[in-house]
Amino acid sequence: MKYVLVSGGVVSGLGKGVTASSIGLLLQACGLRVTSIKIDPYLNKDAGTMSPFEHGEVFVLDDGGEVDLDLGNYERFLDVKLTRDNNITTGKIYQERKGDYLGKTVQVVPHITDAIQDWIERVAAIPVDGKDGPPDVCVIELGGTIGDIESMPFIEALGQFSYRVGTGNFCLIHVSLVPVLHVVGEQKTKPTQHSVRGLRSLGLTPNILACRSTTELDVNVKEKLSRFCHVPKENIVTLYDVSNIWHVPLLLRDQKAHEAILKVLDLPCITSKPMLQEWTARANVCDMLNEPVRVAMVGKYTGLSDSYLSVLKALLHASVACRRKLVINWVSASDLEDATAIQNPDVNKAAWDSLTSADAVLVPGGFGDRGVEGKIIAAKYARENNIPYLGICLGMQTAVIEYARSVLGLEDANSTEFDPNTKNPCVIFMPEGSKTHMGGTMRLGSRRTYFQVTDSKALQLYGNQRFIDERHRHRYEVNPDMVLQLEKAGLSFTGKDESGQRMQFKSRPGKPSALFLGLIAAASGQLDVLLKKNAGTKANGLTNVMMSAGSPQRYGNAVHSIHSNGNSSNGLHA
């Protein structure tokens, strides 16, 4: 087994996750089987209870693991299925099991560091590409920045691990910042020098430097970094700003990063020409798109786009497939509400302008009652104006609430999450959930959904398959006792679980999620052509959509059905 460690220095947010994903893709394109591990030094056991404002979205895996959003990048770039064990956290490591240490004094060294190394070796050997046998290479991303206190046990463990696996089996790539001071217009190497010095003082020596900068590094800058960081000049690559992240693997390829990695890993027999023709074509197509398709994203966490990262990626994949340039109109759900119209009419007007100028409306998930009435208002606007609508998790639930209020005349219809005493609970707490323990107690992971009707647009979008497997993350569901009443009023529930009672998403750059593709196609006037293309097929290569998604019969013309439930968009494969 070969290991590639990606660390980061100077500042956070340099793009270690995209870099690690791109390196994995590059090695995969050379014919190697690749898996990935993300190390998050925080004390949380997983990302499940972390605020989207603090850490971005929670990404949900097939096995129900609630993990860091970088694992979404790995899955999208490498087209693999990871598990909860591919995300290591301090909270997972720092657990003394009953009798595990037989009464010994548990110490960071050797017990914690050994546990980290054992975990890496065990998980690295698990295939994630659907083939038998272990992968060839494991790409490990160390979260945080070199020098962080919480990272120290992991850095020590990784230093020991490099010795444990031996020379030729371990390659360290350090992602660092080379800023340009606009006052003098010069690329500055000192931050990277200090970062590498700190890394080496902790027992790790980088084999390759990946330098983030606004422009390509000057030759003299590379020579200076090579001299002071003790890294060969040919092993220093620039990750400069590009038009879209699909160009990052191409940047690495053009600078022969794969050759440097293969040399360090003692793999000279592997082809040195990565097969990236399809990837290159997609990156170029994305750059050439001019005709816009506008999607209003009506959410609770619009202040941080990473809160909806997978949703955005799924929209991008679908937009590229429809040859449209994606434009997101960010709308804070609470800004649409009557209270905002009274207190701050300018903000309310701006929110309505963004909503009404969009070609489609997407309402993602979220927790709590803030902004819920705004989401209901957005759903009503889409339904009454025949605007393509996709409701994910809470967005789907608010569409049902709006339908019950407006069409059935049940003015107090609500979710028991927001009004426990409502007389018309059209969304209720699921029986398998827990109201006292928040972490890992929802409906999580891949679940099977069976289509109930044979003429729905959702069914056609999925290639007329009898069932689909999608990922879930939610505590609430449409009340089964109200489904018949809603259906009689014209709301079609076309997909349910094995019991036939509960309504129950994944996207890759080359295989957009079916419902996202339907939404963008409807928004750009291509839905009928898409459905005709899919007619009579059993599989159209448009894989899944994770968690909950759906679009009621009278909510625009995107999809004539609701087929899922949920309370968070996070974890959407995109």
Side-chain angles (χ1 to χ4, degrees):
M1 174 67 70
K2 306 291 185 178
Y3 299 90
V4 177
L5 173 63
V6 179
S7 63
V10 185
V11 294
S12 60
L14 287 179
K16 292 193 307 296
V18 173
T19 303
S21 302
S22 300
I23 289 166
L25 177 66
L26 207 58
L27 295 176
Q28 197 179 64
C30 288
L32 294 167
R33 294 176 61 199
V34 179
T35 185
S36 296
I37 292 175
K38 172 66 187 295
I39 296 175
D40 284 305
Y42 48 68
L43 290 170
N44 308 64
K45 184 176 179 180
D46 57 37
T49 56
M50 298 177 72
S51 167
F53 281 126
E54 289 209 12
H55 202 67
E57 73 172 8
V58 177
F59 192 78
V60 178
L61 302 170
D62 267 5
D63 66 355
E66 298 174 282
V67 298
D68 184 82
L69 59 83
D70 280 319
L71 274 79
N73 280 323
Y74 306 157
E75 286 204 342
R76 286 187 289 270
F77 272 62
L78 302 177
D79 195 15
V80 296
K81 290 183 180 180
L82 303 175
T83 70
R84 66 178 78 232
D85 285 349
N86 289 87
N87 192 191
I88 306 175
T89 69
T90 301
K92 289 180 180 179
I93 295 294
Y94 277 55
Q95 298 180 77
E96 183 188 2
R97 299 299 183 185
K98 185 169 59 178
D100 278 358
Y101 296 101
L102 301 176
K104 292 182 180 178
T105 300
V106 183
Q107 298 176 288
V108 173
V109 180
H111 302 110
I112 296 300
T113 52
D114 283 353
I116 294 169
Q117 295 176 70
D118 293 343
W119 189 306
I120 291 172
E121 278 196 327
R122 173 177 61 85
V123 175
I126 300 173
V128 295
D129 56 4
K131 301 176 182 177
D132 294 330
D136 302 308
V137 181
C138 178
V139 179
I140 307 164
E141 179 191 348
L142 175 61
T145 305
I146 294 301
D148 293 345
I149 294 175
E150 60 265 29
S151 300
M152 293 304 177
F154 291 100
I155 294 173
E156 174 61 29
L158 290 164
Q160 294 179 18
F161 189 69
S162 66
Y163 179 75
R164 176 170 167 173
V165 299
T167 303
N169 295 315
F170 188 88
C171 176
L172 172 54
I173 301 174
H174 189 58
V175 182
S176 188
L177 177 68
V178 177
V180 177
L181 298 183
H182 294 293
V183 176
V184 293
E186 181 184 2
Q187 294 173 329
K188 291 296 184 179
T189 64
K190 196 65 70 177
T192 295
Q193 290 181 47
H194 284 297
S195 181
V196 171
R197 185 177 298 125
L199 186 63
R200 294 175 66 192
S201 71
L202 296 171
L204 287 169
T205 300
N207 302 104
I208 298 171
L209 285 181
C211 299
R212 286 285 289 114
S213 192
T214 54
T215 58
E216 190 172 0
L217 291 187
D218 297 333
V219 174
N220 65 309
V221 171
K222 281 191 176 184
E223 291 174 345
K224 190 173 182 180
L225 285 171
S226 176
R227 185 180 307 114
F228 286 100
C229 298
H230 302 177
V231 175
K233 188 173 68 173
E234 59 271 19
N235 286 13
I236 300 175
V237 298
T238 315
L239 298 176
Y240 55 84
D241 295 348
V242 290
S243 53
N244 67 72
I245 63 169
W246 294 343
H247 282 290
V248 177
L250 308 180
L251 275 183
L252 292 169
R253 178 202 61 188
D254 293 344
Q255 296 175 77
K256 295 182 170 48
H258 55 290
E259 293 183 6
I261 296 170
L262 294 174
K263 183 177 180 180
V264 173
L265 295 179
D266 195 20
L267 291 171
C269 57
I270 302 299
T271 176
S272 60
K273 293 183 178 180
M275 306 298 287
L276 288 171
Q277 292 88 339
E278 184 180 342
W279 189 275
T280 303
R282 189 179 303 116
N284 293 334
V285 166
C286 187
D287 287 341
M288 293 187 292
L289 298 176
N290 293 312
E291 188 172 349
V293 57
R294 293 184 179 275
V295 178
M297 183 85 77
V298 185
K300 297 160 63 79
Y301 317 117
T302 54
L304 181 65
S305 62
D306 271 2
S307 299
Y308 304 115
L309 183 62
S310 292
V311 181
L312 294 174
K313 296 304 180 186
L315 287 171
L316 175 63
H317 300 163
S319 299
V320 171
C322 291
R323 297 298 189 267
R324 291 294 186 272
K325 182 181 179 65
L326 178 65
V327 179
I328 299 295
N329 287 2
W330 292 100
V331 181
S332 178
S334 57
D335 290 347
L336 295 171
E337 297 173 0
D338 294 340
T340 304
I342 296 171
Q343 297 170 7
N344 199 331
D346 290 341
V347 170
N348 179 258
K349 181 180 183 304
W352 272 102
D353 287 345
S354 293
L355 179 64
T356 56
S357 64
D359 303 305
V361 177
L362 191 153
V363 180
F367 293 92
D369 59 1
R370 180 178 62 83
V372 166
E373 291 300 322
K375 293 191 173 192
I376 293 173
I377 289 170
K380 183 175 183 179
Y381 163 78
R383 180 179 60 82
E384 292 182 340
N385 292 276
N386 201 35
I387 305 298
Y389 177 94
L390 178 58
I392 303 169
C393 310
L394 180 57
M396 176 265 196
Q397 295 170 14
T398 53
V400 174
I401 294 170
E402 189 280 323
Y403 201 89
R405 291 180 182 180
S406 302
V407 179
L408 294 180
L410 306 176
E411 295 183 2
D412 70 333
N414 214 328
S415 166
T416 56
E417 180 183 6
F418 314 126
D419 183 3
N421 301 315
T422 177
K423 294 180 180 179
N424 292 287
C426 49
V427 177
I428 61 173
F429 194 80
M430 294 185 311
E432 69 260 46
S434 172
K435 294 186 178 181
T436 56
H437 295 82
M438 293 295 103
T441 58
M442 298 179 281
R443 180 176 292 164
L444 290 165
S446 182
R447 301 294 180 101
R448 182 154 290 182
T449 300
Y450 292 88
F451 284 104
Q452 306 294 306
V453 297
T454 59
D455 60 348
S456 74
K457 291 183 179 179
L459 175 65
Q460 294 176 62
L461 287 169
Y462 277 102
N464 297 296
Q465 301 178 78
R466 189 171 66 88
F467 60 82
I468 55 172
D469 294 312
E470 298 291 12
R471 295 176 178 177
H472 292 247
R473 183 176 184 254
H474 53 98
R475 287 191 178 92
Y476 291 81
E477 65 182 2
V478 173
N479 186 350
D481 295 337
M482 288 192 68
V483 168
L484 184 59
Q485 187 179 3
L486 288 162
E487 287 187 323
K488 285 182 177 179
L491 193 57
S492 178
F493 295 89
T494 65
K496 299 181 181 180
D497 66 3
E498 294 91 337
S499 69
Q501 289 188 324
R502 297 187 176 90
M503 285 66 70
Q504 314 291 228
F505 81 23
K506 306 168 192 169
S507 175
R508 301 290 190 263
K511 295 180 286 186
S513 292
L515 296 185
F516 281 88
L517 186 61
L519 178 73
I520 297 300
S524 56
Q526 303 179 52
L527 184 59
D528 289 341
V529 174
L530 176 63
L531 295 180
K532 288 179 181 178
K533 182 179 179 181
N534 289 349
T537 63
K538 284 293 179 185
N540 60 3
L542 307 172
T543 41
N544 315 343
V545 193
M546 187 156 99
M547 323 190 105
S548 344
S551 205
Q553 184 176 27
R554 297 182 186 176
Y555 285 84
N557 60 350
V559 186
H560 273 225
S561 62
I562 289 183
H563 75 91
S564 52
N565 250 309
N567 202 9
S568 172
S569 67
N570 309 330
L572 273 170
H573 274 51

